[in-house]
Amino acid sequence: CYEVTLIILRCLIAVYLANISDSEHTVTKDLVKLLFQEHESMERPLLDLKRRAIIALATSSERASTIILDELRLRLGAAQDITSAEILGKLIELDFPLVDEYIELAVTTLQGVSRR
């Protein structure tokens, strides 16, 4: 089951990156939430691939980027989610249309943490 999940996720990433304009409507809040879910029983390669998928979607599709930004806001606003912070850190290093909004979220999050 684990190997099949990896293969399916790799295929999903390839499809989105190869033809995002035709498949971007399939990026939903539920898909993004699923990609963000991490369980202790998940193996490192799957966790890394899910994070790469989030980053690939955020940087290749404005619609996906908006959904991912909203999910990051929720996760970082509700708790100090390490996974979300790591993903946000990787995203703000890249060049894509909504990067300034991601940088603003990072600054806001850091300001909130420093006030606690």
Side-chain angles (χ1 to χ4, degrees):
C1 184
Y2 167 74
E3 291 297 325
V4 172
T5 303
L6 283 176
I7 291 168
I8 290 171
L9 193 51
R10 284 186 189 116
C11 289
L12 176 76
I13 294 169
V15 167
Y16 280 128
L17 293 179
N19 203 2
I20 193 66
S21 61
D22 289 340
S23 55
E24 122 175 292
H25 69 281
T26 63
V27 179
T28 63
K29 289 180 183 181
D30 288 336
L31 173 63
V32 170
K33 285 183 185 300
L34 184 64
L35 290 172
F36 270 97
Q37 288 178 1
E38 295 188 355
H39 305 285
E40 290 179 17
S41 62
M42 287 184 182
E43 294 184 29
R44 176 59 38 201
L46 179 57
L47 295 173
D48 291 342
L49 190 58
K50 288 175 77 169
R51 291 176 184 196
R52 282 197 312 253
I54 292 167
I55 292 166
L57 288 172
T59 57
S60 63
S61 161
E62 198 164 322
R63 172 179 157 59
S65 190
T66 300
I67 294 170
I68 291 166
L69 182 62
D70 290 343
E71 184 66 20
L72 284 169
R73 280 188 185 119
L74 284 173
R75 290 174 173 273
L76 292 169
Q80 293 180 356
D81 182 44
I82 305 284
T83 299
S84 296
E86 289 174 354
I87 291 168
L88 180 59
K90 290 186 187 310
L91 284 165
I92 63 173
E93 295 175 349
L94 303 174
D95 184 27
F96 60 102
L98 295 181
V99 70
D100 289 339
E101 292 185 47
Y102 281 83
I103 291 170
E104 184 179 318
L105 175 60
V107 169
T108 302
T109 301
L110 287 172
Q111 288 172 343
V113 169
S114 67
R115 290 185 188 138
R116 292 181 189 166

